[in-house]
């Protein structure tokens, strides 16, 4: 869950005897792309992916058209890119 947590995000934390036993976060989150290679003009291969580092430090695979500063929706259960926001 730590790979998807950002400031002011709501998470449900279960405690037992003062220790955290589980953290529940939403099924998807919107995060900003902090670092990725620029897309090459004309490179529109269907389904092609490239690595992108998110604002939390997590690296995921995104389509070639995603650039630094774009906001993307990510599935927190699988870590997969869903869509650009």
């Amino acid at each position: 869950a730590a790979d998807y947590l950002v400031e002011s995000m709501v998470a449900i934390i279960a405690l037992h005897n003062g220790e955290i036993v589980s953290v529940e976060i939403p099924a998807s989150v919107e995060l900003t792309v902090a670092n990725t290679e620029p897309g090459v003009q004309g490179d529109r291969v269907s389904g092609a992916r490239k690595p992108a580092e998110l604002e939390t430090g997590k690296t995921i695979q995104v389509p070639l058209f995603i650039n630094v500063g774009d906001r993307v929706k990510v599935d927190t259960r699988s870590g997969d890119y869903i869509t650009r926001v």
Side-chain angles (χ1 to χ4, degrees), residues 22-39:
S22 72
V23 177
E24 187 176 323
I25 60 175
S28 65
V29 293
E30 294 177 6
L31 299 169
T32 303
V33 175
N35 188 24
T36 190
E37 295 294 320

Side-chain angles (χ1 to χ4, degrees), residues 26-59:
S28 65
V29 293
E30 294 177 6
L31 299 169
T32 303
V33 175
N35 188 24
T36 190
E37 295 294 320
V40 177
Q41 185 66 24
D43 193 356
R44 301 285 182 236
V45 177
S46 179
R49 301 284 175 143
K50 65 181 180 179
E53 183 180 346
L54 303 174
E55 62 185 298
T56 61
K58 170 86 172 161
T59 299

